[in-house]
Amino acid sequence: SIGGGSVAFVTILREPKSRVWSYYKYTQTFSKRYRQRPLSYFLSAINQTLGGDRHGSAVQAHPEEAVAVATSRLELHRDDLQLTNMMARSLGAQPAELLVLPVTTATLNTALANLRQFAVVGFIDELDAFAERMSEKWPLLLASRGALDERAGSGQRGGESRHALCPMPHENAALNSTFVTASAHPDLETRALIRDVNRVDAELYAAAKAHARKRR
């Protein structure tokens, strides 16, 4: 679990299908392996490794042999873990589970509980709302340099904080590289495969959005 003390946690989540496709394109910039095969190859390998019938849904517990690095008979590598339920794994897995392909129900529940303790949870498709929420929580952190200079000149406290400005993203920068061979968007088959092996992340993302709406 997280929380407590004077530490505030902030994160930005991304819709699972969009996150996976973006990761695949980004990794093509330095991975010959990802440039040589379509994303559907790796997703199909993950699906078969998970047993085909589980489709990336949460399992009750890991079998004994699963508590190890999740390489498979279908030539999966450690980097491929990013293609399946990585948000839930990152937010809720115990250290020994981070490199295990299946995600347990306990991991999902821990991820959801941890997210509820975050001070701000933003979303890539709502970056303006994220910046607004951040400015409400920490107005001096996100104030413009000009506003802080004006405040300092008027004798109000806080002008000295102008060197601690934290720029907020307002758009997701597009990747520009000659090494990227993937198209702007995945085809229907690939989208379906991404969905199949990211059902836990989809559940986590939907719950996080619902929780964020309640807090507004």
Side-chain angles (χ1 to χ4, degrees):
S1 64
I2 62 174
S6 59
V7 177
F9 290 88
V10 173
T11 190
I12 301 178
L13 302 181
R14 188 167 189 174
E15 191 278 323
K17 290 190 293 293
S18 176
R19 187 198 69 79
V20 170
W21 186 247
S22 178
Y23 172 77
Y24 172 67
K25 291 174 64 178
Y26 166 73
T27 308
Q28 283 190 331
T29 63
F30 57 84
S31 172
K32 181 179 179 181
R33 180 170 166 267
Y34 271 32
R35 292 195 297 271
Q36 289 178 330
R37 294 185 182 275
L39 178 58
S40 57
Y41 169 84
F42 303 103
L43 296 174
S44 296
I46 289 170
N47 207 10
Q48 292 181 52
T49 301
L50 288 172
D53 55 339
R54 281 180 270 178
H55 294 300
S57 301
V59 297
Q60 291 302 310
H62 293 307
E64 290 296 324
E65 64 271 16
V67 187
V69 176
T71 54
S72 84
R73 61 189 181 279
L74 296 167
E75 299 182 1
L76 289 176
H77 294 182
R78 183 178 296 189
D79 289 346
D80 301 333
L81 287 167
Q82 289 281 352
L83 302 175
T84 173
N85 295 321
M86 196 61 194
M87 288 195 299
R89 197 180 289 110
S90 298
L91 287 163
Q94 297 298 314
E97 299 173 316
L98 285 172
L99 299 180
V100 178
L101 198 56
V103 174
T104 65
T105 302
T107 295
L108 172 60
N109 291 337
T110 300
L112 289 169
N114 284 340
L115 270 181
R116 294 188 187 103
Q117 298 182 61
F118 276 55
V120 179
V121 175
F123 304 92
I124 286 289
D125 60 343
E126 298 177 2
L127 287 178
D128 285 343
F130 172 72
E132 182 178 345
R133 179 77 174 126
M134 290 287 288
S135 65
E136 291 172 355
K137 294 284 291 184
W138 299 286
L140 289 182
L141 183 68
L142 300 178
S144 68
R145 186 176 300 275
L148 286 171
D149 286 341
E150 181 180 346
R151 188 171 186 175
S154 66
Q156 298 183 52
R157 294 182 61 188
E160 67 277 10
S161 300
R162 64 182 181 275
H163 298 299
L165 295 177
C166 179
M168 284 291 100
H170 286 275
E171 62 180 352
N172 184 46
L175 191 65
N176 182 15
S177 173
T178 56
F179 290 106
V180 177
T181 60
S183 60
H185 304 285
D187 58 31
L188 292 177
E189 177 189 4
T190 302
R191 287 176 62 87
L193 284 168
I194 295 174
R195 182 194 63 229
D196 284 345
V197 300
N198 284 277
R199 293 185 184 273
V200 180
D201 268 7
E203 185 175 346
L204 176 70
Y205 186 78
K209 279 230 166 182
H211 184 66
R213 284 193 292 269
K214 290 180 181 178
R215 294 178 64 176
R216 291 172 186 165

